[in-house]
């Protein structure tokens, strides 16, 4: 199965026809000349920069200035840049969850769970996207941290954020929201789902991998000044890792400017999302509503491998999403849309997925 799904896959002989729906570059900014120019300039001026841990940076370092810019854009007190979304989630949970109850959506990202485990937190699983179950658990156990994803990264479904935050507020719980797949792509000016649910305090702590719409190798924690100081100086993932490179900082800074003015790309992505989901539902895939990620769920590994082969042959590159451990009976083939896809590309994707319905999945 590893050979069929990962190791031995090859590109179509006709590279010009390949439609890739694997990347998380949702706004198709990865090759933008403004980003490349900013990175080249940083390389020429600074090389690889100061190779040291981030707590040792001066207050006027470009990384600190970028953190302040992102904080102002998001309307939060403070932002901490980290090496990845994983380290952002792990570090925040490690410092916040010590001695605290954690109420985690059952499909929240693993890095959030690992951070809570590192803090030796008391963890309660909330049924996926179920505010009533969250209410029941908070009433029974008392307040703590409510841990959610804005967009869940396999099926692309959105959390019912307004309902979840209302329940959390009722019991004095704080919400931790992973915006990795929404930041840049969703919300006003791309500021994510939290920007659409009222005052910033409704979501106390936000994290994101910038390896999605921001096309960078970095992560952020957007939070209060107090929590930011805890992450910066006490989180192991921050204290014992080196800073970002100057080219990383320059690239993210240039990307933020593009994201702020990318309403047309976001509207394009939303239209593609609606058309794909409606088309897949008509074919019987039952994907329902959601964001720019959709998954075709299979019941067995051989059937999943067949679907991968069929789509590869049609020059449609998708991703089998079963590692590290397959979940029996629930094996997704994931499609990630991006704003540069054309209507013809979408037609080809739907034509190819229709072929998969000729036998059970």
């Amino acid at each position: 199965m590893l050979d069929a799904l990962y190791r031995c896959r090859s590109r179509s002989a006709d590279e010009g026809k390949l439609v890739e729906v694997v990347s998380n570059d949702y706004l198709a900014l990865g090759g933008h000349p403004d980003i490349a120019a900013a990175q080249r300039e940083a390389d020429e001026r600074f090389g690889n920069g100061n190779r040291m841990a981030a707590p040792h940076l001066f207050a006027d370092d470009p990384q600190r200035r970028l953190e302040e810019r992102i904080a102002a854009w998001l309307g939060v007190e403070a932002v901490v840049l980290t090496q990845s979304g994983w380290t952002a989630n792990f570090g925040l949970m490690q410092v916040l969850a010590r001695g605290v109850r954690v109420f985690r959506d059952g499909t929240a990202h693993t890095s959030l769970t690992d951070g809570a485990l590192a803090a030796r937190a008391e963890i309660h699983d909330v049924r996926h996207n179920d505010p009533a179950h969250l209410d029941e658990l908070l009433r029974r156990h008392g307040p703590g941290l409510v841990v959610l994803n804005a967009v869940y990264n396999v099926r692309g479904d959105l959390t019912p954020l307004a309902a979840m935050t209302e329940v959390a507020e009722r019991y004095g719980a704080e919400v931790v929201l992973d915006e990795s797949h929404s930041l840049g792509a969703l919300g006003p000016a791309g500021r994510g789902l939290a920007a659409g649910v009222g005052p910033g305090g409704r979501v106390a702590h936000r994290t994101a991998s910038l390896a999605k719409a921001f096309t960078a190798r970095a992560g952020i924690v957007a939070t209060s000044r107090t929590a930011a100081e805890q992450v910066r100086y006490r989180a192991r993932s921050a204290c014992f890792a080196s800073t970002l490179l100057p080219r990383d900082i320059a690239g993210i800074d240039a990307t933020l400017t593009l994201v702020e003015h990318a309403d047309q790309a976001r509207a394009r992505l939303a239209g593609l999302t609606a058309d794909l989901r409606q088309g897949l539902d008509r074919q019987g895939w039952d994907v329902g509503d959601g964001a720019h990620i959709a998954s075709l769920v299979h019941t067995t590994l051989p059937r999943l491998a067949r679907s991968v082969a069929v789509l590869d042959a049609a020059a449609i590159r998708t991703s089998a999403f079963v590692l590290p451990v397959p979940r029996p009976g629930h094996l997704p083939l994931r499609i990630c849309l991006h704003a540069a896809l054309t209507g013809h590309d979408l037609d080809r994707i739907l034509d190819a997925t229709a072929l998969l319905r000729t036998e059970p999945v």
Side-chain angles (χ1 to χ4, degrees):
M1 285 301 107
L2 282 175
D3 285 346
L5 299 178
Y6 300 102
R7 290 189 296 228
C8 295
R9 291 175 68 186
S10 58
R11 292 177 179 269
S12 166
D14 187 350
E15 286 289 314
K17 293 179 62 177
L18 182 64
V19 176
E20 296 208 49
V21 279
V22 176
S23 170
N24 299 140
D25 182 8
Y26 301 127
L27 300 180
L29 295 176
H32 198 284
D34 290 359
I35 301 172
Q39 291 173 328
R40 282 195 303 270
E41 181 183 354
D43 285 339
E44 292 169 0
R45 289 185 61 192
F46 305 111
N48 279 340
N50 296 313
R51 289 174 290 279
M52 60 184 180
H56 299 293
L57 291 174
F58 290 133
D60 62 349
D61 188 271
Q63 181 165 324
R64 294 283 183 260
R65 293 199 297 270
L66 179 57
E67 289 172 344
E68 291 171 359
R69 183 187 175 196
I70 297 173
W73 176 59
L74 292 176
V76 299
E77 290 184 1
V79 158
V80 179
L81 277 160
T82 67
Q83 293 76 12
S84 67
W86 180 281
T87 55
N89 279 341
F90 185 93
L92 178 67
M93 293 302 294
Q94 180 223 318
V95 298
L96 286 186
R98 191 170 299 279
V100 175
R101 300 179 189 90
V102 171
F103 301 89
R104 175 199 63 171
D105 185 286
T107 57
H109 198 273
T110 303
S111 54
L112 293 161
T113 302
D114 283 1
L117 290 171
R120 299 182 181 179
E122 175 187 321
I123 301 175
H124 300 274
D125 279 344
V126 181
R127 283 194 296 269
H128 181 53
N129 280 352
D130 191 338
H133 190 225
L134 175 62
D135 188 293
E136 176 187 332
L137 291 174
L138 287 170
R139 185 172 62 251
R140 184 187 311 164
H141 299 287
L145 296 173
V146 175
V147 178
L148 311 168
N149 281 22
V151 175
Y152 289 92
N153 65 319
V154 176
R155 296 195 59 126
D157 48 333
L158 281 68
T159 188
L161 188 57
M164 295 298 235
T165 54
E166 287 172 8
V167 174
E169 286 173 345
R170 193 177 306 144
Y171 293 95
E174 290 189 337
V175 174
V176 175
L177 182 68
D178 182 334
E179 294 248 36
S180 293
H181 294 274
S182 50
L183 193 68
L186 299 176
R191 293 194 298 272
L193 293 193
V197 294
R202 298 198 73 182
V203 178
H205 314 282
R206 285 178 255 177
T207 64
S209 164
L210 299 186
K212 317 301 180 190
F214 275 75
T215 72
R217 285 189 174 182
I220 63 166
V221 176
T223 184
S224 66
R225 289 189 184 89
T226 300
E229 292 291 285
Q230 294 289 306
V231 171
R232 199 185 308 281
Y233 300 112
R234 292 188 58 206
R236 295 178 182 179
S237 57
C239 291
F240 299 104
S242 59
T243 61
L244 300 177
L245 299 179
R247 69 180 343 265
D248 298 328
I249 300 300
I252 295 166
D253 193 52
T255 304
L256 177 53
T257 300
L258 297 171
V259 167
E260 288 176 312
H261 299 91
D263 285 344
Q264 186 174 355
R266 281 185 283 272
R268 172 71 182 157
L269 183 62
L272 289 166
T273 296
D275 291 345
L276 176 73
R277 287 184 170 275
Q278 290 167 11
L280 291 175
D281 275 341
R282 284 194 295 268
Q283 292 175 3
W285 288 106
D286 191 27
V287 296
D289 295 330
H292 36 272
I293 303 167
S295 284
L296 315 180
V297 178
H298 294 64
T299 56
T300 69
L301 281 169
R303 288 169 177 168
L304 178 62
R306 170 191 173 272
S307 291
V308 168
V310 169
L311 295 182
D312 282 354
I316 308 294
R317 187 182 178 209
T318 56
S319 52
F321 217 75
V322 299
L323 294 178
V325 179
R327 179 180 160 193
H330 189 274
L331 304 168
L333 187 60
R334 192 171 74 165
I335 297 170
C336 292
L337 297 178
H338 58 82
L341 292 169
T342 66
H344 178 63
D345 292 334
L346 194 64
D347 289 342
R348 286 185 53 206
I349 293 168
L350 290 171
D351 287 346
T353 58
L355 293 175
L356 308 184
R357 302 301 296 178
T358 58
E359 65 178 66
V361 296

